Amino acid sequence: MSSEGHHTAADDDAGNAYRALAETTSDGDPRWAFGSGFDSGSDAVEAEITSPVPDGVDAADLAAYCLMLGDDALICSQRLAEWVAAAPELEEEVALANIALDLLGQARVLLSRAGHVEGRDSSPMDGTAVADEDALAYFRDERALRNVTLAEVDGGDFGRTIARLLVFSSWRLALLQRLTASRDPVLAAVAGKGVKEVAYHRDYAARWTLRLGDGTAVSRQRMQAGLDGIWPHVESLFTTHDVERRLAHAGVAADPGDTRADVDAVLDEVLGRATLHRPDVPAVGLVAGRGGRDGVHTEALGHLLAEMQSLARIHPEAAW
Amino acid sequence: MVTRNPAAIAAEVPDPELPMLTLADLGVLRSVDVDPGGRVRVTITPTYSGCPALEVMRDDVAGRLRDAGYAEVEVRTVFSPAWSTDWISDEGRRKLAEHGIAPPGHIGPRPAGPVPLTLDAPSSVVCCPRCGCPATSELSRFGATACTALRRCTACLEPFEHVKEI
């Protein structure tokens, strides 16, 4: 911990949250305006994030896999956060922001783990030394992102947002449940917490799907349109990437292909009760065998990143 | 000069978002150890992965221990085992209710196998912390903080927060 020696009692007012926030940046702690705290040197998760790569596992594979799961959460979180100040009701805005925050928390740990395993610690990017998670979130270009395309497609209206969240959270919950047994301690820890959180996200989306699907003619039509809009990106959720296959064999990753039955069972139950139907639309194909997991994305991601990353790129040294 | 036991000092730090509770009441304070050199190592765990109060907790714990004379303090954050509302102490539950926040029910360990969907509102009874009426309804599962849901009493009609089970 770098901050201990410089603290004076005069700074201290335990009831003053602003004092506490200011303190975190006062001692050369490379904490970021854009949120850090799992960065090297000051904290704890570090003890876990720096855990050795499990035996027999390729470090580059593990880093790539952490990026995949971290980017899924990061990009989905950003899409949900777009509803802040734009949601139909305050309660829904708060709910969507809460879900986004859970996913962002998962992303931070996963990106920090990726950065560590990759040996990226304290290496400058764009000439600035920023914490791993921030470097990875704010200074990677579209083709370096490893999220599934479902996470990035336009949020559209509330029906489409709920459709995406229903499928995404059902799938992620199935992955995280399997990952609680991962041989990588950081993945297992993220999964252990994430299962509880994502179960709430899935329930939220499932209940809205019921309410809209089994509601008025208009709400039903828009909920179905939401499903139709995101469905081309569903099939690729179950396509196993080579990295995922190797790590699944090593007891580190969850093979997404194995989650299909669980996810289908959930979707069938929800769509059935909501009187909606499973869209019959062609899947978005891979480009020369490559998709989101290889950095081949839809045009939506570039726009999302432009908004998400602009502030960090304009002020790469910003701190607060 | 060191005057008090560091475990007692860390235990009484208030939670930034539910300040009627201490970190010990909330169950996020996992351990406090002192090595022979006098270095204090505190382990805390976040309630939720994205809990924004975590940084403030860490700084408050470190600040209070330094003020008490412990020069070297390390605050570690661990994610495993994952926090559960079952870790909120009886004292913590009493304080929550006293401040108008309904405490969580006990949930026990998660059963093995896939997590079941809950498409209907949970049947568990959450009593109104103001009038004690058991007939309350959930307005939103996501409240002003990550760990609370918003409910309303059907008798006194007052809305209130409920620390939702996780």
Side-chain angles (χ1 to χ4, degrees):
Chain A
M1 295 193 68
S2 59
S3 59
E4 263 54 75
H6 306 273
H7 184 87
T8 64
D11 293 331
D12 231 338
D13 170 4
N16 185 343
Y18 296 102
R19 193 274 307 153
L21 288 171
E23 186 195 323
T24 60
T25 60
S26 63
D27 310 294
D29 185 351
R31 201 166 307 250
W32 256 61
F34 313 99
S36 179
F38 302 127
D39 48 285
S40 55
S42 65
D43 165 333
V45 179
E46 197 200 8
E48 290 183 306
I49 282 176
T50 55
S51 305
V53 174
D55 288 343
V57 173
D58 181 53
D61 275 357
L62 180 57
Y65 186 62
C66 290
L67 282 184
M68 292 174 181
L69 296 182
D71 288 346
D72 288 344
L74 177 70
I75 300 303
C76 196
S77 173
Q78 177 70 14
R79 281 294 184 212
L80 290 166
E82 289 171 357
W83 281 100
V84 172
E89 288 186 353
L90 185 58
E91 284 79 3
E92 303 320 313
E93 176 171 312
V94 170
L96 293 167
N98 263 286
I99 294 169
L101 186 61
D102 287 342
L103 291 172
L104 189 62
Q106 295 173 19
R108 291 181 63 184
V109 181
L110 289 163
L111 295 189
S112 294
R113 178 64 168 163
H116 172 74
V117 170
E118 235 175 13
R120 200 188 274 269
D121 293 302
S122 4
S123 67
M125 294 194 75
D126 289 8
T128 59
V130 297
D132 296 344
E133 51 169 322
D134 288 331
L136 289 168
Y138 295 115
F139 294 94
R140 273 183 304 155
D141 294 320
E142 186 182 331
R143 282 187 297 179
L145 271 283
R146 294 286 175 260
N147 59 283
V148 291
T149 54
L150 176 69
E152 77 204 28
V153 292
D154 277 335
D157 64 5
F158 189 72
R160 185 154 161 164
T161 289
I162 292 299
R164 183 221 314 269
L165 185 59
L166 174 68
V167 175
F168 181 83
S169 58
S170 298
W171 171 70
R172 190 169 178 85
L173 182 56
L175 284 178
L176 293 179
Q177 277 181 310
R178 288 162 172 79
L179 283 170
T180 55
S182 172
R183 284 174 57 224
D184 183 69
V186 179
L187 285 172
V190 170
K193 284 196 85 59
V195 161
K196 298 172 169 211
E197 294 163 357
V198 177
Y200 269 117
H201 306 172
R202 188 187 62 175
D203 280 353
Y204 173 81
R207 289 179 187 195
W208 265 113
T209 303
L210 250 59
R211 200 164 154 187
L212 295 172
D214 197 18
T216 67
V218 172
S219 72
R220 180 173 191 285
Q221 182 270 324
R222 288 179 64 173
M223 189 64 228
Q224 185 66 54
L227 288 166
D228 294 349
I230 58 102
W231 213 263
H233 300 275
V234 172
E235 182 59 29
S236 65
L237 300 179
F238 307 107
T239 307
T240 308
H241 190 274
D242 287 344
V243 166
E244 290 168 318
R245 186 173 292 111
R246 287 195 292 271
L247 288 181
H249 282 149
V252 167
D255 185 334
D258 293 345
T259 66
R260 191 191 287 268
D262 287 1
V263 176
D264 275 347
V266 169
L267 295 179
D268 285 346
E269 182 183 348
V270 175
L271 298 186
R273 274 191 57 180
T275 72
L276 296 165
H277 62 83
R278 181 181 279 260
D280 182 20
V281 292
V284 166
L286 301 177
V287 179
R290 294 152 61 87
R293 290 295 192 223
D294 296 294
V296 178
H297 294 281
T298 68
E299 66 274 23
L301 185 62
H303 296 286
L304 181 151
L305 292 182
E307 184 171 89
M308 186 178 86
Q309 297 180 334
S310 61
L311 191 64
R313 288 181 184 245
I314 293 168
H315 302 290
E317 304 274 11
W320 55 285
Chain B
M1 191 189 127
V2 174
T3 51
R4 293 182 61 212
N5 175 349
I9 294 166
E12 66 188 24
V13 175
D15 176 71
E17 288 189 340
L18 298 168
M20 72 292 290
L21 298 188
T22 65
L23 299 187
D25 289 333
L26 189 58
V28 300
L29 183 67
R30 305 308 298 155
S31 67
V32 181
D33 301 304
V34 191
D35 72 15
R39 183 179 172 84
V40 183
R41 188 154 127 146
V42 180
T43 304
I44 61 176
T45 193
T47 52
Y48 284 71
S49 296
C51 178
L54 187 67
E55 316 257 318
V56 180
M57 288 182 195
R58 286 180 38 220
D59 291 335
D60 286 351
V61 168
R64 288 216 182 186
L65 285 166
R66 283 191 299 252
D67 288 350
Y70 294 94
E72 283 194 80
V73 182
E74 180 192 8
V75 183
R76 303 177 62 241
T77 310
V78 297
F79 283 88
S80 181
W83 181 79
S84 162
T85 42
D86 283 357
W87 295 357
I88 298 177
S89 67
D90 290 342
E91 175 71 2
R93 286 160 199 273
R94 191 188 57 73
K95 289 180 191 167
L96 281 171
E98 208 175 272
H99 286 80
I101 300 174
H106 284 280
I107 48 172
R110 190 176 76 79
V115 181
L117 266 174
T118 44
L119 293 178
D120 306 296
S123 56
S124 62
V125 173
V126 179
C127 293
C128 174
R130 293 173 197 277
C131 71
C133 172
T136 64
S137 62
E138 186 177 85
L139 298 179
S140 173
R141 244 190 212 192
F142 297 89
T145 67
C147 50
T148 55
L150 192 61
R151 298 185 71 92
R152 182 168 51 202
C153 176
T154 58
C156 71
L157 302 181
E158 286 291 333
F160 63 91
E161 286 186 291
H162 169 225
V163 176
K164 66 189 174 203
E165 294 80 9
I166 193 167

